[in-house]
Amino acid sequence: STPEEQQKMFFRLWTLKESCIKATGLGKKLSLNSFGFEIKDGEITITQSVNQNKYYFKEFDFNDGYSYSVCSMCPDICELKQVILK
């Protein structure tokens, strides 16, 4: 993969981790090594040993060069529509 693709994946994973940290409510107390992701065919699966909760993710692309992710314990998060705020 190219350096640009690697950078894009880094920021994608970073925003997924950041959204997960916020969803657990543990913030910076949560080690970044305590969970990880598998992204396959658009599906995001989390492997974690933090708690027994199941987490769901939604990513957004606003075509602005940034990565956006939301994590929730509610499966309905996956149904959110992308809204562009102006």
Side-chain angles (χ1 to χ4, degrees), residues 25-86:
L26 296 173
K28 292 181 181 180
K29 294 182 222 170
L30 183 60
S31 168
L32 292 176
N33 294 328
S34 62
F35 61 100
F37 302 99
E38 180 180 337
I39 303 171
K40 185 176 179 180
D41 299 327
E43 285 279 319
I44 302 166
T45 305
I46 183 171
T47 303
Q48 55 102 0
S49 58
V50 177
N51 54 39
Q52 299 298 313
N53 297 334
K54 181 161 176 72
Y55 293 99
Y56 302 89
F57 297 89
K58 176 72 177 180
E59 294 179 285
F60 296 91
D61 183 0
F62 296 113
N63 295 316
D64 61 358
Y66 294 98
S67 296
Y68 300 91
S69 302
V70 176
C71 176
S72 175
M73 290 185 291
C74 178
D76 293 340
I77 193 77
C78 299
E79 303 302 318
L80 279 180
K81 301 293 183 218
Q82 184 167 305
V83 177
I84 297 177
L85 303 175
K86 293 184 178 189

